[in-house]
Amino acid sequence: MAVYALVDCNNFYVSCERVFNPSLEGKPVVVLSNNDGCAVARSAESKAIGVPMGEPAFKLRHLVEKHGLIMLSSNYALYGDMSERVMSVLATFSPGAEVYSIDECFLDLNGLPVPDLTAWCQQVRATVKRWTGIPVSVGIAPTKTLAKLANRLAKKSPKTDGALDLAGHPEWVIPALKRTPVRDVWGIGRQYAAQCGVNGIRTAFDLTEQSDGWIKKTMGAVGLRTVMELRGTPVHTLETEPTDKHTTCCSRSFGESVTDFEQVHDAVLTFASRAAEKIRGEGLVAGAVQVFAYTDRFRQDQPQFSLNAMIRLSPPTSSTQHIIGAAIKGLKSAWRDGYEYKKAGVIMLDLVRPEDIPRDLFSPPPESGSRTKALMTAMDGINSRLGKGAVGFGAVPDDAPWKMRCGNRSPSFTTSWDDIPVVKA
């Protein structure tokens, strides 16, 4: 019998903040999205006082005085580094691991000599907590979909103490299915959940009782695979080798709306530099660059406009200077004066590995071994040693109005020498 575990970090962004600021323990805390916009992570205490996911920050201000709610700016560099630490710990417990998201990881337990899976779960939880400070919940089941379901119940039910083993206790599967609303099943989106509701299907158990024909007709082959997994038949295998991306995007909402071309130019330059650095880190090159910018669609009292341009790269490249040049060329071609731009971004398209670049008679040779490649390697090495942005193309002022608002961001405890915590004995 197949056995999978899903390990999920509890309230991950908030937990990362608490590792380095223990005074936040037991208090209602939310982490806000870019520009301190809305709540994207909530502690259990903030959920208890009624903070909804995605609630705008300005609607939560009354809870600051009433309940002592603490609102923090997001610190994605910290969260990404803490995620890598958690995943490296989890990899020691299983030879097969699939990092599903920044705070979730599937583990393959097939063939492992684990006599008591519940005790194993508690060992995983204790080790991750001790080595990283992050609390986790563990769900175990014979399929990945059931493991997600088990993990959800492990989080919600105090009886489980953060761990639920449905593989070793098959008699618990049906009660678990009956306690899970169909909308909370992994792979069942809002549209399918609505269709199930119309047909009187309220729980995951109700869904497993439907005929295969009805499921395939209503939810397609993907829905049928989900139901098969709920019934205990493994369909989804562990994806231990992540596939290469075909696109990647770097974009931000501006701290303030801007009308000046130079301001948007600086933002696009910054995003293009970051996007180029990202694809180089993954060993990829881009065949095209897409640049976009648009106004605040929520401001109906202002004229609306969205610019979009795509520039081909020949040959495909990961060179920052070439990618910046293409992005700025696209911005200039699509620019329109007289609008207040609120967001911009750069998308890398047609990503491939250098050895897979399509060849033709008319394209210039690839830049492998060229001075450009040597320059990019030197830049990446300096930025790795001295910190992101130590060297780059162009100078952007720190107080640019398009830069994100992050009035209450925690220090970069694990990624900046200047912010490393100091302990005094």
Side-chain angles (χ1 to χ4, degrees):
M1 180 183 72
V3 182
Y4 298 101
L6 176 67
V7 183
D8 188 5
C9 302
N10 301 341
N11 310 315
F12 180 57
Y13 292 174
V14 173
S15 295
C16 290
E17 299 287 351
R18 285 174 166 172
V19 170
F20 297 97
N21 187 357
S23 67
L24 298 175
E25 290 287 351
K27 297 179 181 178
V29 180
V30 298
V31 173
L32 302 174
S33 61
N34 290 339
N35 291 307
D36 293 345
C38 58
V40 294
R42 304 164 295 161
S43 67
E45 295 81 5
S46 65
K47 296 174 186 177
I49 62 174
V51 176
M53 178 64 82
E55 187 76 353
F58 72 89
K59 292 186 177 181
L60 299 175
R61 289 171 186 155
H62 70 285
L63 297 177
V64 175
E65 294 184 4
K66 186 175 181 180
H67 295 288
L69 178 67
I70 299 170
M71 295 192 287
L72 302 175
S73 303
S74 51
N75 187 342
Y76 295 117
L78 173 65
Y79 310 150
D81 185 73
M82 293 300 293
S83 173
E84 291 182 6
R85 296 179 184 219
V86 171
M87 301 309 165
S88 66
V89 175
L90 294 178
T92 65
F93 285 92
S94 170
E98 175 191 341
V99 179
Y100 181 67
S101 68
I102 192 172
D103 60 349
E104 293 178 283
C105 183
F106 284 103
L107 299 178
D108 187 356
L109 306 186
N110 295 304
L112 292 183
V114 181
D116 187 339
L117 288 173
T118 299
W120 180 87
C121 289
Q122 296 302 340
Q123 182 185 0
V124 170
R125 298 183 69 236
T127 303
V128 174
K129 178 68 174 178
R130 184 169 62 252
W131 290 6
T132 69
I134 303 295
V136 300
S137 299
V138 186
I140 292 181
T143 71
K144 291 172 71 176
T145 302
L146 281 175
K148 286 277 287 187
L149 185 149
N151 185 282
R152 174 185 175 275
L153 293 175
K155 276 188 173 183
K156 289 184 171 294
S157 175
K159 294 181 181 179
T160 64
D161 194 23
L164 180 59
D165 171 24
L166 296 182
H169 298 276
E171 70 276 10
W172 293 350
V173 173
I174 290 180
L177 292 170
K178 290 182 176 180
R179 290 188 58 184
T180 304
V182 70
R183 65 177 181 275
D184 291 333
V185 174
W186 184 43
I188 301 297
R190 186 176 302 175
Q191 181 179 356
Y192 288 154
Q195 290 177 324
C196 288
V198 170
N199 288 276
I201 302 170
R202 310 298 180 193
T203 68
F205 177 77
D206 296 337
L207 186 58
T208 62
E209 294 290 287
Q210 307 306 307
S211 68
D212 290 356
W214 183 89
I215 294 169
K216 191 169 184 179
K217 179 181 178 181
T218 307
M219 305 169 63
V222 174
L224 181 58
R225 288 195 288 269
T226 296
V227 175
M228 291 176 64
E229 290 239 325
L230 289 175
R231 292 170 179 163
T233 302
V235 176
H236 302 301
T237 58
L238 215 64
E239 299 178 7
T240 56
E241 294 295 332
T243 58
D244 288 337
K245 297 178 180 178
H246 298 292
T247 65
T248 191
C249 177
C250 185
S251 65
R252 292 290 185 275
S253 294
F254 298 159
E256 301 175 14
S257 296
V258 297
T259 58
D260 182 53
F261 172 80
E262 292 302 324
Q263 295 287 354
V264 180
H265 170 282
D266 288 351
V268 168
L269 183 151
T270 301
F271 302 151
S273 298
R274 176 60 184 139
E277 183 181 351
K278 286 171 64 176
I279 65 173
R280 281 199 302 275
E282 297 173 6
L284 302 173
V285 294
V289 176
Q290 182 177 353
V291 59
F292 64 89
Y294 49 78
T295 53
D296 189 346
R297 63 192 67 181
F298 298 104
R299 293 290 304 274
Q300 297 303 317
D301 59 326
Q302 296 178 348
Q304 300 292 310
F305 178 69
S306 176
L307 69 82
N308 200 306
M310 192 268 286
I311 305 295
R312 301 298 309 181
L313 296 169
S314 183
T317 182
S318 61
S319 164
T320 297
Q321 59 190 30
H322 293 155
I323 289 171
I324 287 177
I328 298 304
K329 179 180 178 181
L331 176 65
K332 289 179 178 178
S333 69
W335 177 262
R336 296 293 184 274
D337 286 320
Y339 295 96
E340 295 189 9
Y341 294 93
K342 184 61 177 176
K343 184 173 183 176
V346 172
I347 305 175
M348 302 286 98
L349 302 172
D350 301 336
L351 299 180
V352 296
R353 295 200 170 272
E355 60 269 22
D356 297 328
I357 296 175
R359 304 285 190 251
D360 63 62
L361 293 174
F362 306 103
S363 297
E367 60 195 23
S368 177
S370 68
R371 294 174 63 185
T372 299
K373 183 178 180 181
L375 175 61
M376 294 300 101
T377 301
M379 279 183 53
D380 292 341
I382 293 171
N383 288 329
S384 176
R385 293 193 304 271
L386 302 182
K388 185 171 66 176
V391 294
F393 291 85
V396 178
D398 292 335
D399 60 349
W402 57 267
K403 288 199 169 184
M404 286 193 303
R405 292 192 301 267
C406 48
N408 197 18
R409 177 183 289 172
S410 56
S412 299
F413 295 110
T414 64
T415 57
S416 171
W417 288 107
D418 294 334
D419 292 339
I420 292 179
V422 176
V423 178
K424 297 180 180 180

